[in-house]
Amino acid sequence: EYAKKALYSLIDQLTSEDMVSIVIYDDIINVLREAHRVGNKNDLKKIVHGIYPRGSTNLGGGMMEGFRQVERNVGREYVNRVILLSDGLANQGITDGHELNRIARRYRAKSISLTTMGVGLDYNENLMVGLSENGGGNYYFIERPASLVSIVRKEFNMLSSVVAQNASIELTLGNQVRINDIIGCEYRAESNRYIIPIGDLYSNDRREVTVELAVPEGSQSFTVATGVLRFESRDWTDAFPSFSTVIRYSKDVAEIEKNRDMETQGKADVALSTRHVDQAMKALDDGNQEEAQKALGEAAMSLGASPAASQAGAGGAAIRSQLLKMESYKSILKDSASDARKAKKSIQYDNYQTQKSK
């Protein structure tokens, strides 16, 4: 019933120029409304009103049919997105997460993105996060069904402000520079370049990506990396924005400390701490709560050791805010009355939002 209310709200926001389709899935896939212009909104609401719970969860089949519906009208004049809503585990059709992620990547290459919304406590959050990552959209944990309407409205408002689709950062590294990690992001290597997909870009949107590099010893100045932001846009005719990162070597510790950017230091150390939280979530998946608590403790220790921790500016504030989150996460796990599924989903979702700066 909450999902229906959310869809009614979405239908009210659509314009006559929008294209919409509705697909339901259990053990059977049904296209209740093929993709075409909105038309009569009351007719759309009647379709939604007639939906009722049925059998199993062929999530992959529903997702692929959603992609096929969007693909029928795919084009740069549209923001092409599938919104996948599920409250259960994928237990019919394709259930392998790697294969489902591969399908999401394939359609993203066709400029069709995927947002996932998990409702309640019985769905597979790892799968839904992975699909949104590979699909270039967003992920939402909807703990309280009553919040569905506001979340669907938020997603629609974002779709309405897309300025570029299927964006990615293309990095070319300097000689002997290596990537250790791109925190919280999927990425791939192509020859001597690294591609970081970042999905659609929205008006007034700001993204921050933390790239951990191994940089060789040297002297004087050195270009660590150059980068290009590539995307699809019907209005963009200029060259793609580019940048380069140059460092200067010094043996003078005082000079290094004088030039340290504490705001960036704080943000980088917060990003590094989210990796410990990811490790804690994996430990929870393995049923090892003690290991999860240990990983959260290590995150707090690394944050406390940050040079930015004692600073008064934005870097120090970011560290202190993240330390409070670590304490909150540890309390949630210690609470014996807490549902383990709820604890895992809420901590993982909050960490996802931190990594994505959402």
Side-chain angles (χ1 to χ4, degrees), residues 23 57 80 123 137 153 165 186 189 205 256 267 276 329 358:
V23 177
T57 306
N80 309 294
Y123 71 92
R153 187 176 294 123
Q165 298 188 67
E186 298 281 338
D205 192 11
I256 292 169
K267 288 178 178 179
H276 287 292
Y329 296 165
K358 292 180 186 258

Side-chain angles (χ1 to χ4, degrees), residues 18-186:
D18 290 321
M19 311 283 287
V20 64
S21 64
I22 301 172
V23 177
I24 60 171
Y25 58 94
D26 39 40
D27 46 328
I28 303 169
I29 313 300
N30 291 118
V31 181
L32 300 185
R33 209 252 194 190
E34 292 194 344
H36 51 81
R37 294 195 190 280
V38 169
N40 188 312
K41 291 187 178 182
N42 287 329
D43 289 344
L44 274 175
K45 290 181 179 180
K46 286 177 184 176
I47 292 171
V48 173
H49 180 73
I51 299 172
Y52 59 93
R54 300 191 308 193
S56 303
T57 306
N58 187 347
L59 183 145
M63 178 184 76
M64 285 193 292
E65 185 55 51
F67 279 135
R68 282 192 286 266
Q69 289 296 317
V70 175
E71 190 175 20
R72 293 171 56 181
N73 300 284
V74 71
R76 289 193 179 185
E77 66 271 28
Y78 296 116
V79 176
N80 309 294
R81 179 160 300 184
V82 172
I83 299 176
L84 179 68
L85 186 70
S86 181
D87 66 351
L89 296 170
N91 53 23
Q92 291 279 318
I94 300 171
T95 58
D96 178 70
H98 295 295
E99 177 61 16
L100 292 169
N101 287 337
R102 188 188 66 78
I103 293 167
R105 286 196 302 273
R106 190 175 81 228
Y107 278 97
R108 182 172 63 180
K110 299 180 180 182
S111 296
I112 303 173
S113 56
L114 174 70
T115 279
T116 60
M117 298 184 180
V119 184
L121 301 177
D122 293 323
Y123 71 92
N124 181 340
E125 62 274 17
N126 296 339
L127 174 62
M128 296 294 261
V129 170
L131 287 173
S132 71
E133 281 287 286
N134 286 277
N138 302 302
Y139 161 67
Y140 301 92
F141 164 42
I142 303 169
E143 182 180 344
R144 292 174 295 276
S147 65
L148 248 174
V149 171
S150 63
I151 286 172
V152 168
R153 187 176 294 123
K154 175 183 176 182
E155 177 72 5
F156 183 83
N157 288 339
M158 292 174 72
L159 287 175
S160 302
S161 65
V162 168
V163 293
Q165 298 188 67
N166 206 20
S168 64
I169 298 171
E170 182 182 290
L171 286 181
T172 302
L173 304 183
N175 187 34
Q176 296 185 3
V177 177
R178 299 193 323 274
I179 282 184
N180 289 339
D181 193 14
I182 302 176
I183 297 175
C185 290
E186 298 281 338

Side-chain angles (χ1 to χ4, degrees), residues 42 131 222 233 239 249:
N42 287 329
L131 287 173
F222 177 59
S233 173
Y249 291 95

Side-chain angles (χ1 to χ4, degrees), residues 221-341:
S221 294
F222 177 59
T223 301
V224 174
T226 58
V228 179
L229 175 65
R230 299 190 186 279
F231 50 85
E232 298 167 6
S233 173
R234 61 182 174 180
D235 299 322
W236 188 267
T237 57
D238 298 335
F240 289 118
S242 62
F243 61 92
S244 63
T245 300
V246 179
I247 61 171
R248 184 169 61 83
Y249 291 95
S250 174
K251 294 182 180 180
D252 186 339
V253 175
E255 181 186 22
I256 292 169
E257 289 303 320
K258 179 184 176 183
N259 287 281
R260 190 190 294 271
D261 181 336
M262 285 301 179
E263 181 176 354
T264 299
Q265 179 77 59
K267 288 178 178 179
D269 289 333
V270 166
L272 287 169
S273 76
T274 67
R275 203 161 54 188
H276 287 292
V277 180
D278 284 339
Q279 292 166 1
M281 297 303 94
K282 184 166 187 319
L284 284 183
D285 283 337
D286 296 336
N288 192 337
Q289 188 167 127
E290 184 178 337
E291 190 64 29
Q293 287 280 9
K294 180 182 174 184
L296 293 176
E298 289 171 352
M301 285 180 60
S302 68
L303 286 164
S306 168
S310 60
Q311 300 297 307
I319 294 289
R320 290 187 286 277
S321 174
Q322 187 71 351
L323 275 167
L324 289 174
K325 285 186 178 183
M326 294 306 110
E327 292 305 314
S328 171
Y329 296 165
K330 287 193 281 186
S331 296
I332 290 171
L333 292 187
K334 282 180 181 176
D335 184 1
S336 58
S338 175
D339 187 316
R341 298 169 304 166

